[in-house]
Amino acid sequence: MSRFAYVGSYSPPDGKGRGITVFSVDSVTDKLLEPVQVVDCPSAAFLCLNRARNRLYAVNELNEAKGQIGSVSSFSVDTETGKLKFLNSQSSRGYQPCHLSLDPLEKHVLVSNYGTGSVVVLPISEEDGSLEPSSQLVLHSGSSGTNKDRQEGPHAHQVYWDTSGKNVLVPDLGQDRVVFYQLHDGKLVLDSTKTCQVVNGAGPRHVVDSPGHGRFVYVINELISSVSVFSTDSPSSDGLLRHVQTESTLPVVPEVEVSACAEVTVHPNGRFLYGSNRGDDSIVIFGIDGQTGRLSLVGHQKTLGKCPRHFTIGHNGSLLYVANQQSDTIVAFHINTTTGKLSPSGDVVNVSSPVCIVFD
C-alpha cells in the first residue's frame, strides 16, 4: 500500500512556503521519501485527513493585521499517488484559525480561531466531501489577563476529540482553562460539568489524553513552558478536573531566556509523553505512570533546528518527525520504545516554514 505524509507551511508574509507539500513514505521504515506535489494553500497552519485517506482539510491562517478573515480548505486525495485536488474553501468566521479536527462520524469539521477566541462548525458535503458554510459559531468571552501581551482576550487554540469520541476539548490560551463541549446533532453544547483550570498566566495551548482509556488529560502550557496533568475521575462539584501534577518542560538550566511550548503528544504505547520547546529548541520526554498518570522526566532532545512548532509520530511508532519552522527542516528521530529516548536518525528534509505534519 502506498503511504504519504502531508506538510503544512506558512506562506508570505508569515513564512516562505507555498502551502502543502506531499511526500511519499516508505511503508516499512516510515522514512520520508521524495516530494510528489506542492500545492498552493495560503498559510496551511494545520491539516487533518479522514479515515479513508481520500479527503484532506486545512486551516488557512491568513494575516489578521491586514484584516483578513481566516478560511478552511478541502481537498480530495488520490490514494494511489497521494496527490491533492482542491475542492473548495469556506470562511472560518474568525481571525487566525490555528487548528481543526473531524468529528468521529466525519460529518463536520471543527475549527479553532485563535485571534477571535472562537470555535466554528462546518458541515461536510455528503456528495463530494467539500465544506459547506459554517452552521455554528461559538464565541469565548473573557480572559485571565495575567499576561498583558498574550492574554488580553480569549484565544481558542485547539479542537481535540478525546479518546471516547464524545468530548471536544478546547484549550483557551487567554482564559487559562480547557473548555469541554459535546457535539449533538451538529451543534456544540457546552459541558459545564468538566473543565481543566491551569494556573493564571500558564497559557494552555494543546491537550492530549491517555490512549485507550482517557483517564488523564495532559495540557501543554505555552507561556510558562510546562505540562499539567488532570484526572478525569470524579470532577469536583463545580466541574473542575482534579489537578495531579505540573512539570516544567525545560532543562534545569535552560540555554535561553525565552522559550514557549507548542505541541504535545503521547506515544501510542501510552508510556511516554513528548512536548516541544520553541526557543530552547528541544523535545522534552516524560515517562507516564499508567496508574496515576504522573510524569517523570526522561530527558531532552535538541531538535537540530529552530522553532519546533509541530511534531508527530510515524505509523509504526518508531520515528518522531519534528517540523522546525524557522530553519526550514523536518528532522527525524528514532524512538526507543523501551526508554522513550530519542536519537537522530540522520534524515533531514528541507521544507520552507513547516508548521504541521500529518501521516495518512
Side-chain angles (χ1 to χ4, degrees):
M1 184 194 316
S2 300
R3 304 308 298 255
F4 303 95
Y6 301 84
V7 178
S9 294
Y10 276 145
S11 54
D14 301 308
K16 298 175 287 186
R18 285 176 52 187
I20 303 173
T21 305
V22 185
F23 288 90
S24 57
V25 176
D26 187 300
S27 59
V28 176
T29 65
D30 272 351
K31 181 178 179 178
L32 294 185
L33 303 175
E34 294 299 315
V36 298
Q37 186 187 30
V38 180
V39 177
D40 290 322
C41 184
S43 289
F46 214 90
L47 316 174
C48 70
L49 282 160
N50 66 348
R51 285 188 293 273
R53 303 164 46 228
N54 62 4
R55 295 292 183 272
L56 181 142
Y57 302 93
V59 292
N60 303 118
E61 192 175 322
L62 303 181
N63 195 319
E64 181 181 4
K66 294 184 178 180
Q68 295 174 323
I69 296 293
S71 60
V72 190
S73 297
S74 63
F75 298 85
S76 63
V77 183
D78 184 321
T79 57
E80 293 299 318
T81 67
K83 290 186 177 181
L84 303 177
K85 180 181 179 181
F86 178 74
L87 294 175
N88 75 335
S89 65
Q90 296 285 357
S91 171
S92 74
R93 297 178 65 186
Y95 292 119
Q96 293 178 284
C98 57
H99 191 269
L100 80 170
S101 61
L102 284 161
D103 76 281
L105 296 179
E106 298 189 338
K107 292 184 176 181
H108 304 86
V109 170
L110 277 60
V111 179
S112 56
N113 291 302
Y114 173 85
T116 315
S118 61
V119 180
V120 67
V121 180
L122 296 99
I124 297 172
S125 167
E126 294 183 2
E127 181 178 346
D128 63 357
S130 62
L131 293 169
E132 298 178 358
S134 67
S135 57
Q136 184 185 20
L137 175 69
V138 179
L139 291 168
H140 288 189
S141 61
S143 67
S144 73
T146 304
N147 185 314
K148 302 301 181 184
D149 294 327
R150 297 291 308 279
Q151 296 181 310
E152 79 296 341
H155 292 300
H157 220 309
Q158 185 191 28
V159 276
Y160 176 82
W161 286 91
D162 71 359
T163 299
S164 73
K166 297 178 180 178
N167 301 298
V168 183
L169 282 63
V170 181
D172 193 305
L173 184 144
Q175 293 184 339
D176 281 327
R177 66 176 182 143
V178 178
V179 185
F180 283 66
Y181 294 96
Q182 293 184 351
L183 191 70
H184 295 294
D185 298 323
K187 297 289 185 181
L188 283 174
V189 178
L190 178 67
D191 183 355
S192 58
T193 67
K194 302 185 191 73
T195 188
C196 297
Q197 187 72 51
V198 298
V199 298
N200 287 345
R205 178 185 175 95
H206 278 190
V207 303
V208 65
D209 64 348
S210 39
H213 52 74
R215 289 179 51 218
F216 304 102
V217 174
Y218 300 92
V219 183
I220 197 159
N221 301 305
E222 176 176 344
L223 303 183
I224 63 170
S225 298
S226 68
V227 175
S228 297
V229 185
F230 294 87
S231 170
T232 60
D233 294 335
S234 303
S236 65
S237 58
D238 56 1
L240 291 177
L241 269 62
R242 180 173 61 85
H243 175 253
V244 175
Q245 178 190 24
T246 294
E247 290 291 319
S248 173
T249 62
L250 295 174
V252 175
V253 183
E255 296 180 5
V256 294
E257 293 183 3
V258 178
S259 191
C261 290
E263 185 60 290
V264 63
T265 197
V266 172
H267 192 277
N269 66 18
R271 297 177 56 195
F272 306 104
L273 178 142
Y274 301 91
S276 64
N277 295 303
R278 296 172 294 173
D280 188 66
D281 295 334
S282 64
I283 301 293
V284 64
I285 308 158
F286 291 104
I288 299 175
D289 185 307
Q291 295 299 313
T292 66
R294 292 185 66 87
L295 303 175
S296 57
L297 181 65
V298 172
H300 295 82
Q301 171 62 53
K302 287 296 186 179
T303 63
L304 309 182
K306 295 179 64 177
C307 193
R309 183 181 178 90
H310 188 251
F311 64 88
T312 195
I313 294 173
H315 293 299
N316 61 26
S318 64
L319 285 173
L320 183 146
Y321 284 93
V322 179
N324 289 307
Q325 178 185 350
Q326 293 179 4
S327 57
D328 304 324
T329 55
I330 296 173
V331 181
F333 296 87
H334 290 298
I335 302 172
N336 184 319
T337 55
T338 301
T339 66
K341 291 183 178 181
L342 304 175
S343 59
S345 73
D347 294 324
V348 179
V349 175
N350 295 312
V351 182
S352 296
S353 307
V355 292
C356 181
I357 314 168
V358 174
F359 283 82
D360 70 3

